Amino acid sequence: MTTPDTTQQTPITYADAGVDVEAGDKAVDLMKESVRRATRPEVLGGLGGFAGMFDASALQGMRRPVLATSTDGVGTKVAIAQAMDRHDTIGQDLVGMVVDDIVVCGAEPLFMTDYIATGKVVPERIAAIVGGIAKGCELAGVALVGGETAEHPGLLDPDEYDVAGAATGVVEHDEVLGPDRVAAGDVVIALASSGLHSNGYSLVRSVVAGAGWELDRQVDELGRTLGEELLEPTRIYTRALLDLVRSDDVDVHALSHVTGGGLAANLARVLPQGTIARVDRASWTPPPIFTLVGELGAVPRADLERTLNMGIGFVAALPQASVDAAIARSRAAGIDAWVLGEVSDAATTEPVAGAEVVQGAKGVHGGAVQVVGEHV
């Protein structure tokens, strides 16, 4: 084996390679206070351990505890945060995308971890991102028990980063929500989104770039700048939905988080085979950002509805007797809700001519959904 000649070689340190360990330590110091607020009594240990620890002894009192887990990111919405140099809200988006997927099965999210990859650790920026994650965890009642920040010089530009997270929750086995509970005659209610949330930003960014619009452009119909609208944090539904699921006057059969794929595809995932849900566009008016994206990019309606949430962040299927109480509870929690449609027997329901029937999404071959009518 040839031995390299190092007699004239300049020493190369980790910092020379682009990794600043001290900056990482400073970022941890800056985020400590926000992380401290995102906790629960079951959390053991503190920030800086190799693993986050959560006391699971409370599960011993459950009849048959089922753990639920989810992982996600926020997609290309990070590009908006980077372009605006505002990083304190993207973490809330991450929490919403992760923990509210867990609530779909009726589980209570317990704890979360995060991962940030960046081209260069800027302590203040990392602390702002983690501060947003901690705030989201507070809103959801979830403990932030750990995380990792990785510096990837040469792989990412100095101002680039991406975020991801994972969470774990628990639900009693006989309280798991899903298609097996849904039946013909159930009503579908909608819970309003806070805006685009964190899906479809590749389409939105393409439309904005094609129109030549800048993020600091004031848009009258939005009542603020375009960038401010695009950075609106994802609404976190955890507490409101758990209140619905646990209430005595509401019998929730199924929940669906309206994320990638849009309303129809995500609702179809939680319906049993042999059923069809018909939902009516006339029951709601999408917020202005959705109309703006559609008109600015001449985006076909079918593409908009497959990509964006169109103003609906969650849907619930429940019996008619629970509808009024569910809507009232949601509105009391600050989330507008309304009747969206109804589930019926597919064998005896004639689909509306000219309206697409959506069935089968992300490997789930459940019920069908047909979106009909026109927005008012």
Side-chain angles (χ1 to χ4, degrees):
M1 182 177 70
T2 303
T3 302
D5 182 6
T6 61
T7 56
Q8 301 299 319
Q9 183 173 327
T10 302
I12 299 175
T13 66
Y14 206 11
D16 293 330
V19 178
D20 189 341
V21 176
E22 292 182 358
D25 291 340
K26 183 180 179 181
V28 172
D29 286 336
L30 291 174
M31 70 178 70
K32 278 183 177 179
E33 184 54 39
S34 59
V35 173
R36 190 176 292 116
R37 294 193 298 270
T39 190
R40 290 172 56 118
E42 302 94 336
V43 174
L44 304 177
L47 189 66
F50 282 90
M53 295 185 292
F54 192 90
D55 184 353
S57 60
L59 275 59
Q60 294 176 342
M62 300 179 69
R63 300 181 301 278
R64 186 180 175 185
V66 175
L67 295 179
T69 185
S70 176
T71 185
D72 209 339
V74 298
T76 62
K77 189 170 183 175
V78 294
I80 305 297
Q82 291 161 19
M84 295 181 65
D85 194 23
R86 181 180 174 187
H87 315 283
D88 60 337
T89 62
I90 203 74
Q92 181 174 327
D93 292 296
L94 178 63
V95 175
M97 290 297 98
V98 173
V99 303
D100 280 338
D101 274 0
I102 288 175
V103 179
V104 166
C105 67
E108 176 186 0
L110 301 174
F111 56 84
M112 180 170 176
T113 57
D114 66 78
Y115 177 79
I116 304 170
T118 183
K120 178 179 176 59
V121 170
V122 178
E124 293 77 12
R125 183 168 62 208
I126 298 300
I129 297 170
V130 175
I133 297 172
K135 179 182 178 181
C137 286
E138 284 186 84
L139 291 172
V142 174
L144 183 59
V145 297
E148 173 69 11
T149 300
E151 198 166 25
H152 291 167
L155 184 62
L156 296 170
D157 289 339
D159 291 332
E160 287 184 327
Y161 63 82
D162 198 9
V163 295
T168 298
V170 66
V171 60
E172 289 281 10
H173 181 268
D174 59 2
E175 296 176 0
V176 173
L177 304 180
D180 59 305
R181 292 175 176 254
V182 179
D186 278 358
V187 177
V188 178
I189 67 169
L191 281 71
S193 70
S194 58
L196 292 166
H197 286 182
S198 298
N199 293 102
Y201 273 77
S202 293
L203 172 63
V204 173
R205 289 168 52 242
S206 180
V207 167
V208 169
W213 283 28
E214 299 295 333
L215 294 176
D216 61 359
R217 181 187 181 114
Q218 184 70 30
V219 183
D220 291 343
E221 52 262 58
L222 301 178
R224 53 181 168 178
T225 68
L226 177 63
E228 289 169 337
E229 178 70 27
L230 298 187
L231 270 192
E232 178 67 32
T234 300
R235 171 167 280 153
I236 294 177
Y237 298 86
T238 305
R239 292 183 188 271
L241 290 174
L242 289 176
D243 175 67
L244 280 186
V245 170
R246 294 168 175 171
S247 63
D248 293 331
D249 55 351
V250 176
D251 180 19
V252 178
H253 289 169
L255 295 169
S256 181
H257 195 185
V258 182
T259 56
L263 171 62
N266 282 291
L267 176 54
R269 294 167 68 185
V270 299
L271 298 179
Q273 291 185 11
T275 64
I276 182 169
R278 183 173 294 159
V279 298
D280 190 356
R281 295 186 186 92
S283 66
W284 89 101
T285 301
I289 183 60
F290 299 98
T291 304
L292 179 66
V293 170
E295 293 178 351
L296 198 61
V299 183
R301 181 166 73 179
D303 210 56
L304 274 180
E305 293 182 342
R306 281 194 298 263
T307 309
L308 307 179
N309 67 58
M310 302 303 291
I312 299 174
F314 247 93
V315 290
L318 32 70
Q320 178 67 57
S322 294
V323 170
D324 290 345
I327 290 176
R329 283 182 173 274
S330 179
R331 290 176 176 171
I335 305 172
D336 192 19
W338 62 93
V339 172
L340 186 64
E342 185 175 333
V343 180
S344 58
D345 186 337
T348 59
T349 302
E350 188 70 28
V352 175
E356 180 186 10
V357 176
V358 176
Q359 186 170 20
K362 299 190 177 182
V364 177
H365 299 288
V369 175
Q370 188 175 43
V371 184
V372 302
E374 299 295 333
H375 294 299
V376 295

